């Protein structure tokens, strides 16, 4: 499979083929599974600009809609993370006479609510209705649209230039990334910054975290690819920092070209990426081989425990569960249910494999022998919350970076 690169027009060769998958966040209701949507999950790298991208593109309206089920404030650690980001902006960037902040994909308003409370002018751009309403209830101003260069132009005409533009786990989701970068160049004040954080290719490769590949992740960013993409649109990558959130995300800071000094961290990260082979097709091909090993090991372990009469339940229904259960062929015959604290996912099914999603009480009321931790990036928070399970002899199964029991 080959495609033209969405950023530079180079050639993208499909190196990772995980087969047919439904949408990661579809979570159909029981009875809604007859005509589930499937696509071919193939990921590759551009041979010119090294941007890693999905070969198939699912229309954004299909992915983000009134009932988009993910809530950004579903974890205490994430809530703190976003509040710290907001405070950081208030302390360092939003200090002028009448500053203005824009967030792309503001979701349930966890970040902007802090900015709103400080009385700072702001605008969330959020097309999914239910989460947008949750943010309005927190006093956040929302534009219910998909961000692109047209939206950027209209926002600038109405509100003036932005001192801060922010996006988390959304910029890599937008297949018209070129238009987003053109829009950022249009909307940013000369002294402004565009900060975004997204799952990092280096961490995904290092951890064999193949489950972060799904329809929403149109791209998996690297420092090198973002630096090159920014340059094409009059922006410059001035800083990049690796963070633990979501199992390894990079926070990129772009500014109008020449407006800010470039941190030495950028060069350091570029060197590390070269040493890790992130710009090479062979690295993705090797990753695909390791993903197959994880699949074989996980499937064998779950089948083996099941054959021994052990009860295994899933913990957490992140979008990632759709990739891992469909890729491994793990269904309700092996895992009768998975529990998740998000109300909009409860009573639904994991797309494709149809494992029912239940409230966390279903887990605590009747502890299984094993819990397969699909929300592995929240291990610390979840294991602390469910201490009793381990105290009573329950064991956690993890599959990142490899299959192991703790
Ligand atoms: P979590 C999200 O992916 C969504 P997901 C998005 N597609 C994206 O790009 C990535 O982030 C990066 C539940 N949970 O954060 C809540 C508990 O049940 O790993 C969530 O459903 N109990 C935009 O969906 C899920 O786990 C708990 O105590 O992979 C975690 O989803 C905690 C802490 C979480 O993101
Ligand atoms: N920023 C939050 C939410 C991420 S979920 C967090 O990091 O947890 C991704 C969000 O981006 C969804 O709410 C989705 O509706 C929104 N989104 C998707 N495409 C978008 C676009 N083109 N413009 C603005 N928001 C978009
Ligand atoms: Zn390219």
């Amino acid at each position: 499979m080959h495609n033209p690169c969405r950023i530079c027009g180079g050639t993208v060769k499909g190196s990772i083929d995980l087969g047919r998958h439904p949408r990661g966040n579809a979570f159909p209701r029981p009875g809604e599974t007859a005509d589930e949507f499937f696509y071919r999950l193939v990921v590759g790298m551009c041979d010119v600009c090294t941007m890693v991208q999905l070969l198939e593109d699912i229309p954004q309206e299909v992915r983000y809609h009134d009932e988009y089920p993910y809530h950004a404030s579903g974890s205490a650690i994430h809530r703190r993370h976003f509040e710290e980001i907001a405070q950081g902006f208030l302390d360092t960037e939003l200090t002028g006479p009448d500053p203005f902040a824009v967030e792309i994909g503001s979701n349930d308003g966890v970040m902007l609510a802090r900015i709103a409370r400080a009385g700072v002018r702001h605008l969330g751009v959020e097309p999914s209705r239910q989460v947008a309403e949750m943010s309005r209830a927190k006093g956040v101003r929302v534009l219910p649209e998909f961000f692109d260069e047209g939206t950027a132009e209209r926002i600038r005409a109405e509100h003036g230039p932005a001192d801060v533009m922010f996006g988390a786990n959304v910029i890599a989701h937008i297949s018209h990334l070129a238009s987003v970068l053109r829009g950022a160049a249009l909307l940013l004040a000369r002294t402004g910054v565009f900060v975004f954080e997204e799952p990092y290719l280096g961490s995904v490769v290092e951890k064999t975290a193949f489950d972060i590949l799904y329809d929403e992740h149109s791209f998996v960013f690297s420092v090198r690819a973002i630096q090159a993409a920014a340059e094409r649109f009059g922006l410059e990558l001035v800083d990049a920092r690796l963070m633990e959130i979501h199992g390894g995300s990079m926070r990129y800071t772009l500014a109008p070209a020449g407006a800010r000094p470039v941190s030495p961290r950028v060069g350091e990260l570029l060197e590390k990426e070269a040493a890790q082979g992130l710009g090479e097709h062979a690295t993705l091909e090797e990753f695909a081989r390791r993903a197959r090993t994880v699949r074989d090991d996980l499937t064998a372990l779950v089948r083996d425990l099941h054959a021994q009469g052990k009860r295994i339940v899933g913990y957490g229904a992140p979008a990632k569960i759709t990739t891992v259960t469909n890729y491994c062929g793990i269904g309700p015959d092996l895992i009768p249910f998975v529990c998740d604290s998000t109300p909009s996912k409860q009573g639904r099914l994991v797309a494709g494999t149809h494992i029912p999603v239940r409230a966390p009480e279903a887990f605590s009321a009747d502890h299984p022998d094993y819990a397969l931790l699909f929300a592995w990036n929240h291990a610390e928070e979840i294991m602390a919350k469910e201490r009793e399970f381990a105290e009573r002899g329950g064991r956690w199964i993890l599959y990142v970076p490899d299959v192991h029991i703790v």
Side-chain angles (χ1 to χ4, degrees):
M1 246 176 136
H2 288 84
N3 260 12
C5 170
R6 293 204 176 86
I7 298 298
C8 79
T11 303
V12 182
K13 179 179 83 167
S15 294
I16 307 167
D17 184 348
L18 299 185
R20 277 163 44 80
H21 284 260
R23 291 189 305 108
N25 267 318
F27 292 106
R29 295 183 174 83
E32 274 182 358
T33 57
D35 52 356
E36 272 186 295
F37 173 88
F38 280 82
Y39 71 102
R40 181 94 175 265
L41 179 40
V42 183
V43 174
M45 180 183 294
C46 171
D47 60 5
V48 178
C49 75
T50 75
M51 183 66 88
V52 169
Q53 48 203 287
L54 266 187
L55 273 77
E56 244 189 77
D57 182 24
I58 315 242
Q60 58 185 0
E61 293 79 8
V62 174
R63 294 186 267 154
Y64 310 106
H65 46 76
D66 287 0
E67 295 195 343
Y68 181 70
Y70 184 73
H71 297 174
S73 52
S75 133
I77 290 174
H78 286 190
R79 285 196 293 278
R80 198 177 323 129
H81 176 78
F82 287 119
E83 275 160 19
E84 281 169 11
I85 289 173
Q87 194 56 52
F89 286 144
L90 290 168
D91 293 343
T92 59
E93 303 291 340
L94 300 169
T95 52
D98 180 22
F100 178 46
V102 173
E103 182 176 6
I104 303 173
S106 47
N107 197 264
D108 62 9
V110 62
M111 201 289 282
L112 281 182
R114 178 77 195 78
I115 306 261
R117 278 204 304 278
V120 168
R121 275 199 307 132
H122 64 275
L123 187 65
V125 185
E126 177 49 70
S128 296
R129 189 178 54 83
Q130 285 178 358
V131 288
E133 269 162 23
M134 292 168 78
S135 70
R136 286 202 181 95
K138 297 173 186 158
V140 170
R141 184 163 183 188
V142 191
L143 182 68
E145 284 182 28
F146 288 96
F147 186 86
D148 60 14
E149 54 191 304
T151 340
E153 230 171 67
R154 274 178 283 121
I155 295 174
R156 181 164 180 135
E158 190 177 336
H159 301 272
D163 300 291
V164 165
M165 288 180 64
F166 179 69
N169 307 301
V170 59
I171 306 304
H173 298 46
I174 309 180
S175 39
H176 53 270
L177 175 61
S179 175
V180 170
L181 292 172
R182 240 178 258 123
L186 260 166
L187 179 53
L188 272 188
R190 178 72 193 157
T191 50
V193 280
F194 178 22
V195 178
F196 52 95
E197 48 182 66
E198 307 288 329
Y200 177 50
L201 180 65
S203 308
V204 170
V205 166
E206 187 188 305
K207 297 185 176 172
T208 317
F210 64 87
D211 57 350
I212 80 113
L213 304 176
Y214 49 89
D215 61 310
E216 289 190 44
H217 293 160
S218 303
F219 302 96
V220 187
F221 291 162
S222 65
V223 175
R224 177 171 168 188
I226 286 299
Q227 185 182 50
E231 230 177 81
R232 299 179 73 86
F233 301 99
L235 297 167
E236 189 172 16
L237 177 66
V238 297
D239 201 0
R241 279 172 195 253
L242 186 61
M243 294 169 306
E244 272 185 39
I245 197 158
H246 282 298
S249 289
M250 190 66 77
R251 180 183 298 166
Y252 304 92
T253 304
L254 309 191
R260 293 202 181 201
V262 179
S263 158
R265 265 189 294 273
V266 173
E268 287 160 20
L269 285 162
L270 287 171
E271 271 175 35
K272 259 184 137 171
E273 290 190 345
Q276 202 188 347
L278 285 195
E280 291 156 33
H281 295 297
T283 302
L284 296 193
E285 284 149 19
E286 166 61 19
F287 169 89
R289 278 192 289 278
R290 280 184 282 122
R292 284 195 287 276
T293 304
V294 171
R295 173 188 65 185
D296 296 346
D297 291 351
L298 183 61
T299 312
L301 174 67
V302 169
R303 286 192 184 285
D304 187 40
L305 292 172
H306 183 74
Q308 290 173 34
K310 305 289 187 199
R311 206 159 68 85
I312 315 167
V313 156
Y315 205 106
K320 298 182 280 286
I321 194 176
T322 309
T323 297
V324 68
T325 58
N326 280 279
Y327 185 53
C328 297
I330 293 175
D333 51 330
L334 297 168
I335 307 237
F337 72 89
V338 54
C339 73
D340 192 286
S341 56
T342 316
S344 53
K345 293 180 183 176
Q346 294 162 6
R348 305 289 191 108
L349 305 173
V350 176
T353 50
H354 305 162
I355 301 172
V357 184
R358 301 176 60 185
E361 291 70 38
F363 179 80
S364 45
D366 186 13
H367 282 142
D369 301 306
Y370 291 85
L372 177 45
L373 187 55
F374 292 108
W376 53 267
N377 45 315
H378 298 279
E380 210 179 309
E381 185 172 342
I382 290 174
M383 287 180 184
K385 194 184 283 183
E386 302 291 356
R387 223 177 7 242
E388 220 185 291
F389 165 64
E391 279 167 8
R392 291 187 177 179
R395 310 285 301 270
W396 294 98
I397 302 172
L398 283 118
Y399 55 88
V400 177
D402 49 24
V403 177
H404 59 286
I405 297 177
V406 293

